[in-house]
Amino acid sequence: MSPTSSHGVQLDLVERPFTERGSRLLVTAAPDGLRVARAEYETPLADTTELTALVLRDASGHPLPVRSATPVAVEFTGGAALLFADPATLVLAGHGARASWRLPDGTGRSLVLDGCHVLHGPPGEWSPPAVRAAAEARWADWFDRMPPVRPDLTGCARTAWWTLAVNLLPFAGREGLVPSKYGYLGVWNWDALFHAVALRHADPALARDQILLLLDHQLPDGRLPDVVHEHGVLADTTDLPRADHARLAEHVGSANGARPERAPVPVTKPPLAAWAVWKVHETDPDLPFLAAAYPRLVRAHAWWFAASDPDGDGLPEYLHPYSSGLDDSPVWDYGPRAEPPDLNSYLALEADRLADIADALDRPAEAAGWRGRAAAHTDLLVARRWDGTRFTTLAAGAPVPVRTALDLMPLFTGRLPTGIAGALERTLRSPAYWGDRPVPTVAFDDPAFDPEAMWRGPVWLNINYLLIEGLRRSGFPGTAAELRERTLAMVRDAGGLYEYWNPLTGARAPRATSGFGWSAALFVDLAAEG
Ligand code: GLC
């Protein structure tokens, strides 16, 4: 580790930009020099560029290239540095070097450094040593909180831990973790829950904030929104950003998502909030938090049965691709509603977690009621959707042939009859799903399998994480351990916290974003187990 407290994290200024907790500013490298852009909801960085072509030269005009970039500073040859003085302020510190850059209107700026110059942000006087010392102290504090992991995972875990910090931004009175400063600027529903799972190890209050931020925006009907962003929430199809209309039309044809103005459809994400609340509580018991969350979680659970079960068979469906969290999954090739077996598995598990919460709040009768519901719901799922060999996925009310990793998710309930749980575990271990890098989101031998297309084959860490838990809960600790090990190795060897990975090569899928929050969060959580 370098003496300048890089904490083992090197920024390449491409996948890993120079940025800061609480800041929307991203510094990246381009052939003509460094550029600074602002990350905003559903806006390409090209539209929010603040300056480009930042280069430093010595007195004779020779370029002074970037020598290293760490969470603390971008260091130039010759001693100058770029630092965050605060989340809104980037300063250039140094003496004698000439800095030049271009503004978006095409005009150029240049000056000879002599102390601390505010490159972007409100005017102010800053002392270079104080700015550097503060940055070092901030990062030392953050890295000190990282849970310990074994040596071969340390490098990747530190990058993941850095990712979690820089993805934190102020939202609606709290600090929320965005999925990626490249493209996902908001607090997404189930992402926030996965982020909370990692933050509980370092800062349980911040973990609770991720969940509360979501619960604070519950709709009057009980639904939790898909996204909380700086302009409001995305909670039905009338809220969808314009770019999504065309994209959705490709995938769901004439589904309502393609025509938001005609028929608003609620948009949410898979129900896992009680699961996350309980995980945070287990790490850092907090009864007032449970008491505040419980009634809201109860209403959120009820919403699925009241508003998202169009055929009224007691097994809710996703009414929109976004609500499934697997927007581009081939289950959506068959129509605008879908019921893969994950949804009702989550709802059963949520009932068990609501029981745990009710017990902790000393409401034993309610707890017993929830446990009864968890059992009954699992029984209903088995009775209606187990066809003797697999759990069927319905799309627009009819069974579809596509086989996805979600078919295995009933393991998550921990309540399946032994024979069925065993059959699912064997399917997972079969060539359809098992390989060096399980679990493909679509079975390897399914005609829809595509190793690089979003949700149509690549490995996603949240699915693996939920399956690992499900395997443990269903009595397969050995397979859970192997899946955990293969998942950690895949992420470590690919070298980045990507959104999803090609299961055949283990490489980043080309369209996957980097610096992805739940990949960072769940990698850390899995790695922290020892
Ligand atoms: C993509 C994913 C969805 C996730 C969102 C934010 O849309 O499909 O599951 O919540 O990105 O990361």
Side-chain angles (χ1 to χ4, degrees):
M1 206 176 295
S2 94
T4 55
S5 316
S6 73
H7 305 282
V9 176
Q10 291 295 326
L11 307 180
D12 61 2
L13 303 182
V14 180
E15 281 177 16
R16 296 183 293 283
F18 180 54
T19 181
E20 179 65 54
R21 177 173 178 172
S23 180
R24 287 175 177 264
L25 299 174
L26 305 183
V27 179
T28 53
D32 61 352
L34 299 183
R35 46 187 58 205
V36 179
R38 234 177 31 255
E40 283 184 13
Y41 181 60
E42 295 294 324
T43 312
L45 288 178
D47 294 356
T48 57
T49 300
E50 301 283 352
L51 62 91
T52 59
L54 170 67
V55 288
L56 266 60
R57 294 178 195 279
D58 66 16
S60 22
H62 294 119
L64 296 167
V66 170
R67 186 166 56 78
S68 80
T70 72
V72 170
V74 178
E75 317 275 2
F76 295 87
T77 307
L82 184 62
L83 296 134
F84 277 93
D86 64 33
T89 310
L90 266 170
V91 298
L92 269 173
H95 290 279
R98 172 170 291 279
S100 63
W101 64 95
R102 258 199 320 276
L103 297 177
D105 63 8
T107 59
R109 295 281 185 278
S110 117
L111 58 85
V112 175
L113 291 178
D114 182 20
C116 225
H117 173 80
V118 174
L119 178 72
H120 185 273
E125 296 290 318
W126 299 96
S127 127
V131 167
R132 184 178 283 275
E136 291 192 345
R138 274 197 307 277
W139 283 107
D141 178 56
W142 181 253
F143 280 105
D144 281 353
R145 292 164 182 240
M146 189 181 104
V149 304
R150 58 178 212 233
D152 68 306
L153 302 177
T154 304
C156 191
R158 286 184 162 271
T159 305
W161 199 241
W162 166 82
T163 302
L164 294 175
V166 296
N167 284 13
L168 283 163
L169 286 176
F171 274 100
R174 300 186 192 270
E175 214 183 354
L177 210 151
V178 303
S180 168
K181 276 183 174 168
Y182 285 123
Y184 292 114
L185 263 292
V187 173
W188 264 257
N189 176 321
W190 70 335
D191 302 63
L193 306 176
F194 298 130
H195 298 157
V197 164
L199 293 175
R200 70 190 163 136
H201 298 298
D203 188 340
L206 189 55
R208 287 188 282 273
D209 262 3
Q210 305 313 302
I211 304 174
L212 291 170
L213 207 151
L214 183 63
L215 296 179
D216 286 349
H217 291 84
Q218 184 166 39
L219 282 97
D221 66 359
R223 160 184 30 145
L224 296 176
D226 181 5
V227 188
V228 178
H229 53 78
E230 64 247 44
H231 313 296
V233 298
L234 194 167
D236 70 41
T237 44
T238 57
D239 301 327
L240 286 174
R242 214 167 259 291
D244 289 21
H245 299 175
R247 206 167 73 75
L248 280 173
E250 268 174 42
H251 293 295
V252 296
S254 60
N256 287 329
R259 296 173 296 142
E261 65 289 357
R262 282 195 221 164
V265 172
V267 183
T268 177
K269 279 285 185 273
L272 287 164
W275 167 81
V277 163
W278 189 251
K279 279 181 99 73
V280 175
H281 177 76
E282 278 181 325
T283 306
D284 185 57
D286 184 339
L287 287 176
F289 170 58
L290 291 190
Y294 180 67
R296 304 194 234 174
L297 296 171
V298 170
R299 293 201 305 120
H301 194 262
W303 176 82
W304 287 93
F305 296 87
S308 203
D309 180 16
D311 63 8
D313 68 350
L315 293 170
E317 304 178 32
Y318 296 120
L319 304 184
H320 190 278
Y322 284 13
S323 297
S324 72
L326 275 65
D327 332 351
D328 293 11
S329 167
V331 306
W332 295 105
D333 295 351
Y334 297 87
R337 288 160 40 201
E339 189 199 317
D342 65 324
L343 172 54
N344 287 294
S345 310
Y346 300 149
L347 285 168
L349 192 278
E350 286 285 283
D352 265 322
R353 289 299 166 265
L354 286 164
D356 292 335
I357 297 170
D359 264 335
L361 294 174
D362 205 14
R363 301 181 188 199
E366 278 176 53
W370 283 117
R371 290 210 202 287
R373 287 192 60 178
H377 201 66
T378 309
D379 290 350
L380 187 66
L381 174 64
V382 170
R384 297 257 169 89
R385 299 289 180 264
W386 175 251
D387 74 359
T389 57
R390 57 187 284 245
F391 282 95
T392 50
T393 289
L394 303 187
V400 294
V402 64
R403 286 172 300 126
T404 78
L406 301 183
D407 297 1
L408 311 173
M409 207 55 88
L411 288 167
F412 193 62
T413 64
R415 287 183 170 273
L416 291 178
T418 323
I420 295 180
L424 292 187
E425 192 256 357
R426 279 194 301 282
T427 302
L428 173 62
R429 299 295 299 246
S430 77
Y433 289 101
W434 202 254
D436 288 341
R437 299 163 206 96
V439 180
T441 36
V442 171
F444 284 120
D445 55 353
D446 190 283
F449 172 75
D450 177 334
E452 306 214 309
M454 193 174 188
W455 295 119
R456 301 177 81 92
V459 179
W460 287 72
L461 251 56
N462 63 335
I463 300 299
N464 281 22
Y465 188 95
L466 297 172
L467 283 173
I468 290 167
E469 266 205 23
L471 286 162
R472 288 181 183 149
R473 212 173 282 131
S474 298
F476 304 102
T479 300
E482 265 191 69
L483 180 53
R484 169 181 173 264
E485 197 51 52
R486 285 173 194 229
T487 304
L488 291 169
M490 178 195 73
V491 177
R492 177 197 62 204
D493 297 344
L497 283 309
Y498 302 122
E499 193 181 11
Y500 48 93
W501 287 259
N502 179 324
L504 301 177
T505 64
R508 170 195 195 170
R511 286 184 296 280
T513 194
S514 57
F516 191 63
W518 86 43
S519 297
L522 299 178
F523 179 84
V524 166
D525 191 78
L526 286 176
E529 288 174 8

